[in-house]
Amino acid sequence: MTALTIHQLRWTPTALERRQHWLLNGIDLHVAAGEFVGLIGPNGSGKTSLLRCAYRFNPPLAGQVSLDGNDLWQQRPRWSAQRIAVVLQEFPQAFGLTVADVVAMGRTPHQGMFAGDNEADRQLIEQTLDAVGLGDVHQHDFATLSGGEKQRVLLARALVQQPRLLILDEPTNHLDPRYQLELLGHLRRLGLSTLASFHDLNLAAAFCDRLYVIDNGCLVASGTPAEVLTAERLHQVFGVHALVDTHPLAGYPRITWITEP
């Protein structure tokens, strides 16, 4: 099992460095082995930038990102790709590739330079597509799929990578309610160490073990959903009034946004 630790991380785009304006400042974050951790905050607060530091896209200007005690930015990209899988909001330009072709890309970090998929790889790809509800479209052109189907294909690609850590940027963004619940439920059952950003706070409350709240590039709160998702904090961070009560069937916080009359 894998643990992610981010310590006193600072980051800003290179063009802003001389202004000494940190877009991420003093970030401390931990994902324990097998833990599902959510990252929430307003648009532009730094969620995606922080995730990019965690999967070796944005090199930190200060601080450290470590995986099981290993400094991530001191490792080779292949080492990281064998341990971390990422699902982003954007869809790749997979011209002419089938669904199976796109998912098979997840096996690349575990193969030799000129090696192709073997029978075990093909079985894993088929099983994973079945698990995300796409077993009947594996030969379809990826470009012809709906947004929700594409998102599930990219999740399958990440899972066949057999990662120790899964990083998700708005994983339910293109999914209808049924597949939102099925996808997050599937991830919970896998028991992978997971860090995911969310816009939907009710989904974050339902599926995450712990939450971090980021606002203006700083972490302003962390804890269980019940500790973090209070009406006072939601108003402070999002500028909107909310009623927060307990879900009558499951016991986690339930948020109802209050619109002004």
Side-chain angles (χ1 to χ4, degrees), residues 39-125:
L39 182 64
I40 63 174
N43 289 339
S45 59
K47 297 189 298 296
T48 296
S49 295
L50 177 53
L51 295 182
R52 286 174 174 172
C53 291
Y55 63 77
R56 281 183 57 98
F57 186 87
N58 289 343
L61 296 178
Q64 187 176 53
V65 181
S66 61
L67 194 66
D68 287 337
N70 299 288
D71 187 331
L72 192 64
W73 286 90
Q74 296 298 316
Q75 310 303 317
R76 294 180 180 273
R78 183 180 177 88
W79 184 94
S80 301
Q82 290 173 340
R83 292 160 175 81
I84 301 174
V86 183
V87 179
L88 305 178
Q89 297 183 51
E90 302 84 8
F91 298 133
Q93 298 296 324
F95 296 110
L97 295 181
T98 67
V99 168
D101 291 335
V102 173
V103 176
M105 293 177 181
R107 297 303 303 152
T108 303
H110 302 283
Q111 298 169 342
M113 183 175 298
F114 300 107
D117 299 330
N118 58 32
E119 183 60 28
D121 292 329
R122 289 188 286 272
Q123 288 183 4
L124 177 61
I125 291 166

Side-chain angles (χ1 to χ4, degrees), residues 144-162:
T144 66
L145 301 184
S146 69
E149 289 171 328
K150 287 178 178 178
Q151 190 76 342
R152 286 184 282 150
V153 171
L154 298 184
L155 174 64
R157 183 181 67 177
L159 295 179
V160 301
Q161 203 171 324
Q162 296 182 309

Side-chain angles (χ1 to χ4, degrees), residues 155-177:
L155 174 64
R157 183 181 67 177
L159 295 179
V160 301
Q161 203 171 324
Q162 296 182 309
R164 301 181 188 179
L165 173 68
L166 191 59
I167 295 179
L168 310 165
D169 192 3
E170 301 290 348
T172 60
N173 195 34
H174 301 281
L175 303 179
D176 62 34

Side-chain angles (χ1 to χ4, degrees), residues 35-40 188 196 198 203-211 223-225:
E35 191 177 29
F36 197 125
V37 173
L39 182 64
I40 63 174
R188 286 288 307 185
F198 285 90
L203 288 176
F207 289 97
C208 293
D209 298 307
R210 289 188 304 113
L211 298 174
T224 66

